[in-house]
């Protein structure tokens, strides 16, 4: 059993990660900005706490004693690059001080390449509003890559499509590389439930380190 702290636990990816981790017998601390908005996380068995992913002191205090962190944070009321840079820097600082050795980050599929050196977000005609949000995640990745840190990080990027919020877990996925993983013929849309499976698999059996990795 691992002690896992999940930042952004109230979001679509975070909730599924909490559920998956608890189902496998891990102890989970679910960090959210407003616990009153997601009481079901406590009902599931998580330790539901208030926290700020941009406050390194808060992160350090909440993370002490945990084995691994998952970041599924998002803010739509702040500029994307501003938020993701601030959160990533604070998480690396706070987790490092708390001696949490590993952080898994939920990335975005638009950072993946369609061919060498060409990201999805660089395609002609890519929507400007989606590009700005994607560039926030790109800035997040650059902070991770440039950080002088003992925290072993990994960013998992699902397919660059809208993920299925209601589909049940299949436990099946492919992982590897920084190129978009093509759908198999007749494949169902990738789900948040199977994204959570991939995250907790990496908690239990780490296979990737300090890189952006595609799943699909």
């Amino acid at each position: 059993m691992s002690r896992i702290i999940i930042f952004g636990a109230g979001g679509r990816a975070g909730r599924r990660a909490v559920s998956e981790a608890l189902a496998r017998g891990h102890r989970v601390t679910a960090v959210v900005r407003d616990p009153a908005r997601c009481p079901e996380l406590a009902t599931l068995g998580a330790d539901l706490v208030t926290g700020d992913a941009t406050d390194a002191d808060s992160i350090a205090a909440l993370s002490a004693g945990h084995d691994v962190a998952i970041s599924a944070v998002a803010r739509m009321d702040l500029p994307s690059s501003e938020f993701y840079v601030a959160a990533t820097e604070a998480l690396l600082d706070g987790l490092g001080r708390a001696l949490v050795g590993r952080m898994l980050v939920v990335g975005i599929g638009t950072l993946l390449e369609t061919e060498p050196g060409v990201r999805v977000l660089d395609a002609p005609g890519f929507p400007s509003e989606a590009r700005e949000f994607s560039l926030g995640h790109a800035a997040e990745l650059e902070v991770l890559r440039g950080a002088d840190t003992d925290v072993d990080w990994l960013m998992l990027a699902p397919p660059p499509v809208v993920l299925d919020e209601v589909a049940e877990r299949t436990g099946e996925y492919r992982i590897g590389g920084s190129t978009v993983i093509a759908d198999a013929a007749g494949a169902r849309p990738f789900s948040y439930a199977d994204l959570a499976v991939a995250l907790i698999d990496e908690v239990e059996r780490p296979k990737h380190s300090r890189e952006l990795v595609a799943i699909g």
Side-chain angles (χ1 to χ4, degrees):
M1 180 186 75
S2 295
R3 290 197 64 191
I4 306 169
I5 185 165
I6 300 178
F7 294 89
R12 289 170 291 187
R15 288 171 189 253
R16 286 293 195 171
V18 170
S19 180
E20 180 70 23
L22 289 170
R24 298 199 201 184
H26 299 290
R27 183 172 175 181
V28 176
T29 299
V31 184
V32 298
R33 285 187 289 155
D34 182 4
R37 296 180 61 182
C38 38
E40 71 280 2
L41 297 178
T43 303
L44 288 172
D47 297 322
L48 182 60
V49 300
T50 303
D52 181 353
T54 63
D55 183 338
D57 291 337
S58 170
I59 293 163
L62 293 172
S63 301
H66 290 79
D67 303 301
V68 61
I70 294 174
S71 173
V73 299
R75 288 283 296 270
M76 306 310 293
D77 57 333
L78 295 173
S80 181
S81 293
E82 174 186 320
F83 170 70
Y84 280 110
V85 167
T88 306
E89 290 175 344
L91 284 163
L92 290 174
D93 182 1
L95 294 174
R97 283 193 262 156
L99 302 180
V100 178
R102 185 162 168 82
M103 176 173 69
L104 306 179
V105 178
V106 177
I108 191 169
T110 52
L111 298 186
L112 299 172
E113 296 180 339
T114 54
E115 58 184 271
V118 180
R119 300 171 299 182
V120 172
L121 68 89
D122 297 324
F126 191 84
S128 59
E129 63 279 5
R131 179 176 172 80
E132 201 240 326
F133 185 73
S134 297
L135 288 174
H137 279 283
E140 174 186 35
L141 180 58
E142 289 309 304
V143 171
L144 291 169
R145 285 173 168 166
D148 180 10
T149 178
D150 291 330
V151 178
D152 183 29
W153 59 270
L154 173 68
M155 180 181 281
L156 290 177
V161 296
V162 176
L163 301 190
D164 193 322
E165 292 187 50
V166 299
E168 296 300 317
R169 75 190 294 280
T170 68
E172 299 175 355
Y173 63 91
R174 292 173 291 164
I175 184 169
S178 59
T179 302
V180 175
I181 296 175
D183 288 339
R188 70 189 73 187
F190 196 69
S191 68
Y192 281 103
D194 284 330
L195 169 59
V197 172
L199 285 165
I200 307 307
D201 280 353
E202 274 288 336
V203 170
E204 296 179 345
R205 299 178 298 279
K207 294 181 180 179
H208 302 87
S209 176
R210 298 179 186 266
E211 60 180 327
L212 169 70
V213 174
I215 56 176

